[in-house]
């Protein structure tokens, strides 16, 4: 037994590591939960300052980062799985192509992408989140920021990424996927590639979108084109490169005085 074997499990409070007594609720939960005493009326205005500080910390940490691609995926992906190896490979190839690799900073597929980027000599970034259970940033993160609020963290993903790559994942991955898809569809952000990596995993979702959402008129057929699905890491790089060329061509056309 080590000298600290009697310590409580590590707890993260935003950017703060705290090995004392763990709180049973998260900052997001305390912000959004209006049940109970009315003292939230007095504390919510002060929470605005904490939210502001998270934006300032995130912008300050990431402002000078090179062009980046965010890789999403399950925290439950086993290290010895094909999906982990795929994440490791995509992280490495993105790094070799000159992109920083951003993940949620956790284990599983996120660790795989960070690991691949780090092993390839690239810039490996993890944007963590306060959770009621242990997670923390994986050991392959070069630059890590822990957030209290999901919506602040999501802003950082979108603001600093030129593309999103989604490895097989669960609710968290789906949340980020559809958030990005909605922002692009509604033109709240400039269009960027959203790539699903793993056709066997994602084909059922795409079939449902086409067969249910499109057929019932809930989305248009062109909306489906905002998603790309492949098994090839090379296709991922090609899609991102093509998008960057289109952006550069558009910028040249807009800047042409003639």
């Amino acid at each position: 037994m080590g000298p600290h074997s009697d310590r409580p499990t590590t707890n993260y409070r935003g950017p703060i590591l705290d090995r004392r007594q763990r709180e049973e609720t998260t900052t997001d939960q305390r912000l959004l939960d209006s049940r109970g005493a009315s003292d939230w009326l007095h504390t919510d205005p002060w929470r605005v300052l904490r939210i502001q500080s998270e934006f300032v910390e995130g912008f300050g940490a990431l402002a000078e980062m090179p062009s980046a691609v965010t890789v999403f995926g399950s925290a439950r992906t086993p290290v010895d799985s094909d999906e982990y190896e795929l994440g490791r490979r995509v992280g490495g190839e993105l790094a070799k192509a000159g992109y920083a690799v951003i993940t949620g900073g956790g284990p599983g597929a996120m660790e795989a992408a960070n690991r691949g980027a780090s092993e390839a000599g690239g810039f490996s970034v993890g944007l963590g989140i306060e959770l009621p259970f242990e997670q923390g940033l994986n050991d392959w993160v070069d630059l890590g920021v822990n957030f209290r609020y999901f919506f602040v963290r999501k802003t950082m993903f979108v603001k600093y990424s030129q593309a999103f790559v989604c490895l097989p994942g669960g609710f968290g991955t789906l949340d980020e996927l559809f958030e990005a898809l909605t922002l692009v569809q509604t033109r709240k952000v400039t269009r960027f590639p959203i790539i699903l990596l793993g056709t066997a995993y994602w084909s059922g979702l795409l079939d449902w979108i086409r067969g249910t959402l499109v057929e019932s008129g809930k989305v248009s057929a062109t909306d489906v084109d905002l998603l790309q699905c492949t098994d090839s890491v090379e296709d991922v790089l090609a899609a991102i490169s093509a998008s960057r060329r289109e952006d550069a061509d558009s910028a040249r056309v807009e800047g042409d005085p003639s």
Side-chain angles (χ1 to χ4, degrees), residues 65-79:
M65 185 172 58
S67 296
V69 173
T70 291
V71 180
F72 294 121
S74 176
R76 303 181 186 186
T77 301
V79 175

Side-chain angles (χ1 to χ4, degrees), residues 44 63 76 134 155 183 214 220:
D44 274 3
R76 303 181 186 186
E134 174 68 18
T155 300
L183 290 172
V214 175
S220 68

Side-chain angles (χ1 to χ4, degrees), residues 21 52 69 79 125 150 152 195 203 216 223 233 252:
Q21 182 63 39
Q52 176 180 295
V69 173
V79 175
V125 180
F150 266 112
V152 179
I195 306 164
S203 59
S216 63
D223 290 333
V233 175
R252 281 194 294 269

Side-chain angles (χ1 to χ4, degrees), residues 34-44:
S34 60
R35 295 171 296 176
S38 61
D39 58 355
W40 62 272
L41 290 169
H42 309 290
T43 59
D44 274 3

Side-chain angles (χ1 to χ4, degrees), residues 8-26:
T9 307
T10 300
N11 184 30
Y12 286 92
R13 294 184 290 110
I16 308 301
L17 181 152
D18 188 352
R19 289 197 172 97
R20 297 172 298 175
Q21 182 63 39
R22 165 186 312 217
E23 293 189 43
E24 295 301 322
T25 59
T26 67

